[in-house]
Amino acid sequence: QVHLEESGGGLVQPGGSLRLSCKASGIILSIGVMGWYRQAPGKERDLVATIASSGTPNYGDSVKGRFTISRDNAKNTAYLQMNSLKPEDTAVYYCNARIRRWTQEVNDYWGQGTQVTVSS
């Protein structure tokens, strides 16, 4: 089975920065779009950012200008650089990847999430 593991979350003060990583492991033929989503307690899971295999990014409106998504295809890893963090960024951040394990099957996989808390 494919496994996505996030890391880099934690507690940070408003205005601070964090860098999240998402590493995909397992039997993987190829990885398409990768992305970051977040979910605060009692709320729906929302798009943070996605990045195509070519490197083209897409961002949710609330994080534009503050967050940067990137990826290292050779390492099967996506990153999320988060700057100018606000308390409303507090959420569990989930990594998502569209992965082809064999030619007839492509699926979206999710990591277990990493907690980001922005508080004084």
Side-chain angles (χ1 to χ4, degrees), residues 25-43:
S25 61
I27 301 174
I28 298 171
L29 271 65
S30 63
I31 302 177
V33 65
M34 302 184 75
W36 290 93
Y37 297 75
R38 66 187 184 187
Q39 188 167 23
K43 296 186 177 181

Side-chain angles (χ1 to χ4, degrees), residues 101-119:
R101 296 188 65 206
W102 49 84
T103 57
Q104 72 272 23
E105 181 176 330
V106 59
N107 292 297
D108 285 350
Y109 293 84
W110 292 91
Q112 292 184 325
T114 184
Q115 177 71 47
V116 172
T117 302
V118 184
S119 176

